Amino acid sequence: MKHFRFYSKEDILSITRVRRFETKLGERVRFIVNTQNWQEELSQSDAKYVVLGIPEDIGVKANQGKGGAETAWLPFLHSFLNIQSNDFLTGDHVLLLGHFDFGDIKFLIDSNAYNQEEQINAYRHAVNIIDEHVENIIKVISASKKIPIVIGGGHNNAYPIIKGTAKGLYKAEVIPLAQINCINLDAQTDLRPAEGRHSGNAFTYAEEDGYLGKYAVIGIHENYVPQNVLMKMHDNPFVQYNSYEDIFIHERLNFIQAVAHATGFTEDTYTGIDLDLDSIEYILSSALTPSGVTALRARQFINFTATDCKVAYLHICEGACQLSDGRKDETTGKLISYLVSDFIKANDAS
């Protein structure tokens, strides 16, 4: 299938550090054997979770951000597949599907002598192509009654994930019958105008196209919310938010109360869980921040929502292990591994 690489047992074991007297997650996770018949094999699998990667920074660059979001997937895999398989998490109900590869599209854009405006427009056109491919696979996963766990990549992918999940869960093209909610831990709303697809307007497109029902966003930074977006949120009864300043500066509510408000607001139907890593302080991302939630708070967010929501998907995005300006941090992949394992444990226990 174009732009997607399925993983074999050999692929998985090649990055799993097998050790005597121990069992690693990479030795227990499931995989697709017959890629020509992957949809049927997936539907018959007893796996509850399907992990896949979208290592791309096209959506980030389309939003005039720093590249590098494509670098977190492989370090995540190296960490995730090498955690211990034990009573806390065995890996038996996790299927590692593979990852998307949009490198040919990026190369085509980067190798042409566009001026800045033309390059941004080319990236935004490319995001539409990514949308279609991501939606199609996510739809199959959700229709098989599995929970997609998607590691990005830019936050632009929230749109095809929401769309694909809604279509898969309800198996309907009729918009009013294919709608899910979303909770997003993020420093920004990603509700920018529908000016062409990029990482800053995924939820705008999802809402306007009728696939997003209620949207709760936690931890947005007041300094980075455009006034037009703020007015849009205030006028929309299907959007709820608590700012970082509400929680941690003015202490109008604590963090767990903010998450509880969000889960209560979205409890009427399936809910997608989004976590933008630029909400966590000092985590390498296109919008790295010195003032954000801690990694502990992010893990608590995952644990609470995975337990309290009727979960549709998990999407972790915007993290990087190396940015285009040269900055590096290999621990990003390990943090994502913690978040994913937290999610699976909490959802299994709910």
Side-chain angles (χ1 to χ4, degrees):
M1 187 164 53
K2 189 177 182 183
H3 294 301
F4 194 82
R5 180 190 168 187
F6 291 95
Y7 288 177
S8 65
K9 180 180 181 179
E10 291 72 27
D11 293 328
I12 295 169
L13 289 178
S14 70
I15 55 176
T16 302
R17 297 186 296 274
V18 178
R19 186 170 179 173
R20 191 181 180 192
F21 305 124
E22 298 180 6
T23 305
K24 301 291 183 65
L25 215 66
E27 298 175 76
R28 301 298 294 271
V29 296
R30 308 302 177 87
F31 51 89
I32 295 296
V33 176
N34 181 6
T35 58
Q36 299 301 313
N37 197 28
W38 73 273
Q39 297 186 28
E40 183 177 345
E41 186 175 334
L42 180 67
S43 67
Q44 293 176 353
S45 171
D46 61 358
K48 182 179 179 181
Y49 309 97
V50 178
V51 179
L52 66 157
I54 317 178
E56 58 80 32
D57 62 359
I58 292 172
V60 172
K61 290 185 173 182
N63 194 26
Q64 304 178 53
K66 292 185 181 69
E70 80 280 15
T71 63
W73 168 247
L74 282 179
F76 155 72
L77 270 189
H78 280 269
S79 291
F80 184 66
L81 294 178
N82 285 290
I83 65 177
Q84 297 290 338
S85 174
N86 54 30
D87 287 347
F88 297 108
L89 176 61
T90 66
D92 288 338
H93 296 298
V94 178
L95 188 148
L96 180 55
L97 194 65
H99 75 266
F100 288 93
D101 183 355
F102 298 109
D104 57 338
I105 298 175
K106 183 179 178 181
F107 176 79
L108 186 63
I109 296 172
D110 291 348
S111 60
N112 281 278
Y114 294 115
N115 61 40
Q116 185 178 19
E117 182 179 354
E118 290 174 336
Q119 188 176 51
I120 289 172
N121 287 334
Y123 280 131
R124 292 181 178 181
H125 176 72
V127 176
N128 289 308
I129 299 172
I130 294 172
D131 286 347
E132 181 181 355
H133 287 277
V134 172
E135 176 198 334
N136 289 337
I137 284 190
I138 296 297
K139 181 167 62 176
V140 172
I141 296 170
S142 294
S144 300
K145 300 303 179 185
K146 319 294 184 190
I147 297 176
I149 297 176
V150 187
I151 310 303
H155 218 153
N156 45 289
N157 295 306
Y159 169 61
I161 293 170
I162 290 169
K163 187 176 180 180
T165 303
K167 286 185 174 183
L169 286 172
Y170 296 105
K171 297 182 181 178
E173 298 293 332
V174 181
I175 302 302
L177 298 179
Q179 198 172 73
I180 64 171
N181 298 332
C182 183
I183 299 174
N184 181 22
L185 179 63
D186 201 337
Q188 302 188 56
T189 64
D190 292 337
L191 283 169
R192 289 182 181 273
E195 57 182 343
R197 289 283 292 115
H198 56 67
S199 64
N201 58 22
F203 298 101
T204 301
Y205 278 88
E207 181 190 35
E208 290 186 358
D209 289 350
Y211 295 102
L212 177 62
K214 294 179 180 177
Y215 177 48
V217 57
I218 302 167
I220 58 172
H221 290 200
E222 294 174 4
N223 289 0
Y224 297 100
V225 185
Q227 180 63 24
N228 63 333
V229 172
L230 193 61
M231 292 172 64
K232 177 181 177 181
M233 291 194 296
H234 287 168
D235 292 340
N236 190 339
F238 298 104
V239 175
Q240 179 197 80
Y241 76 92
N242 288 112
S243 72
Y244 179 89
E245 287 75 13
D246 279 337
I247 302 166
F248 297 106
I249 306 301
H250 308 303
E251 298 183 327
R252 296 189 176 108
L253 73 173
N254 64 41
F255 182 72
I256 295 300
Q257 286 173 330
V259 180
H261 286 179
T263 60
F265 180 66
T266 57
E267 66 182 358
D268 57 311
T269 190
Y270 286 102
T271 299
I273 310 303
D274 269 74
L275 195 161
D276 189 320
L277 290 170
D278 71 18
S279 65
I280 307 173
E281 59 187 17
Y282 297 112
I283 294 300
L284 203 62
S285 69
S286 175
L288 184 150
T289 181
S291 177
V293 301
T294 62
L296 172 61
R297 293 298 192 190
R299 293 183 67 182
Q300 290 174 333
F301 166 78
I302 291 293
N303 180 74
F304 195 112
T305 53
T307 303
D308 205 41
C309 292
K310 188 177 182 181
V311 174
Y313 67 79
L314 172 67
H315 179 211
I316 300 175
C317 59
E318 296 282 339
C321 287
Q322 181 171 345
L323 291 175
S324 57
D325 61 11
R327 286 178 289 174
K328 296 181 180 180
D329 187 349
E330 290 297 326
T331 63
T332 304
K334 189 171 185 177
L335 174 60
I336 299 171
S337 177
Y338 273 114
L339 295 168
V340 171
S341 58
D342 287 339
F343 173 81
I344 295 171
K345 293 174 191 176
N347 190 253
D348 277 344
S350 65

